[in-house]
Amino acid sequence: MLLQSASEVLSTVWSSTQASLSVILVLVYGFFARKLDILSPEGEESASKLCVTIFLPSLLFSEIGPLASWENLQQYWIIIAYALVFQAISWIVGVIGVVVFKMPPWIVPCMVFNNATSMPLLLLSSLGKNGTLSPLVGKDSLDDVLDRGQVYLLINALVCNLTRFSFGPVMMKKHPLDIPHPWSHSESPHAIKQLVDEVRGYPEVQPYENQDEETPLLDQVKTGGKRSWRALKIVKKSVAGFMNPPMYGGLAAITLGVIPFTHRWLFEKGFLSPVSESIDKIGKLYAALQMLVIGAHLKSKKGSRPPIFTLIYLFVFRFAIMPVISTAMVYGVRKGLGDRILADPVLDFVMMIAPVGPPALTLAAIVEMSDTHEETETAVAKTIVISYALTPLISASVTAALAVVQKLY
């Protein structure tokens, strides 16, 4: 039994190492491309903008669209709830780091937004190939287990991506106690009061000097129309503060995905499927190019090493504390609700490991969108590199999650 457990740990360590090495090597390629002037400063900036404005929105569209249906939202609501709760817990821990320990604000999105797509999918595939997931197979085939696990991970990634690009740019540069909300982006610091005044009719409009019987009614119509238009402009400016290219891609995918006929046309080999397939091909360019850009940033961007205590705080939470929280929560929910939620050992296992691991690569894109200082950009890039070097630490979480799931079922 002990030998079997040690073998599982070693195979998980090797799977995690393989997944992290593939990321780190691409970062190294980007570093030397910049150092040898194969990639120019202008090319680096252009590639970064391409990632944010075209490739990343396309990736989100192609990932979210096929899964965006009313059936999925109804069946997998527990995954959405898990994702939001885990992010809320991570945000609280990040706020404590900034407020109590005076850490830089960029640590908060690094705490909240882990790699929820490429790393878990690679890890799941590797674990399936080396036999680590055999306790979860049961009567099903390994392919069925992997397919279900990928769906669960992508549903979780859908939620994480939408919250990441809604709140990430604000978290990256603002103090966490400045609670991000749409009104914080409007031109006026008193946008809510301004909107209320518009609706109530302040400031008052003076009546016309030469009135007849029809003038008061026309005056009210004109005044009401102007107030409504100004109120709509205030709302538009406020909501626009949360919008960015990745958000447009994600919202387009959800909108077209939940409408049955557009879902069939785009994502089920309908007559518009060439459009979705072309977007999918563009989106697949994002991950490798973004990693190259991060590697180039390590060479070209100026900035000091991230604070040691900040890194320790981040990595202890992401690789040690968060696994305990996620495993305990999933275990408690399964014990409490039982079959009232989707009963699948693969679901429980995936949700135990989904919030664990290194910060998301897309944080580099969020830095670009938030227009922060160059030092912040360098600090985030270096933090991402170090975190992927520590990715094999996930093996302990994976082994523990498997043991807990086996007890549950």
Side-chain angles (χ1 to χ4, degrees), residues 215-265:
T215 298
L217 180 58
L218 291 173
D219 186 23
Q220 290 176 16
V221 172
K222 291 180 180 178
T223 304
K226 290 179 180 178
R227 286 202 301 267
S228 299
W229 179 249
R230 286 195 292 266
L232 286 173
K233 288 177 69 176
I234 294 171
V235 172
K236 180 181 177 182
K237 291 177 182 177
S238 302
V239 173
F242 271 166
M243 297 308 296
N244 49 58
M247 277 296 295
Y248 286 121
L251 291 178
I254 291 175
T255 303
L256 296 173
V258 298
I259 301 173
F261 64 89
T262 55
H263 192 283
R264 289 194 302 271
W265 292 349

Side-chain angles (χ1 to χ4, degrees), residues 82 86 89 321-336 348 351-353 355 400-401 404 408:
Y82 277 139
F86 292 150
I89 293 171
I321 298 176
M322 194 66 220
V324 175
I325 294 173
S326 61
T327 302
M329 183 171 294
V330 173
Y331 180 85
V333 169
R334 178 60 65 192
K335 281 292 188 180
D348 291 345
M351 293 316 301
M352 286 177 185
I353 66 169
V404 172
L408 283 172

Side-chain angles (χ1 to χ4, degrees), residues 93 97 101 103-104 106-107 110-111 305-322 357 359 382-383 386-387 390 393:
V93 177
F101 300 110
M103 295 177 183
W106 56 260
I107 195 64
C110 288
M111 300 286 287
R305 185 179 60 187
I308 296 296
F309 180 69
T310 299
L311 292 179
I312 293 174
Y313 186 83
L314 170 65
F315 297 146
V316 167
F317 175 76
R318 286 252 57 96
F319 291 101
I321 298 176
M322 194 66 220
K382 290 181 178 180
T383 300
I386 297 170
S387 66
L390 297 175
L393 294 175

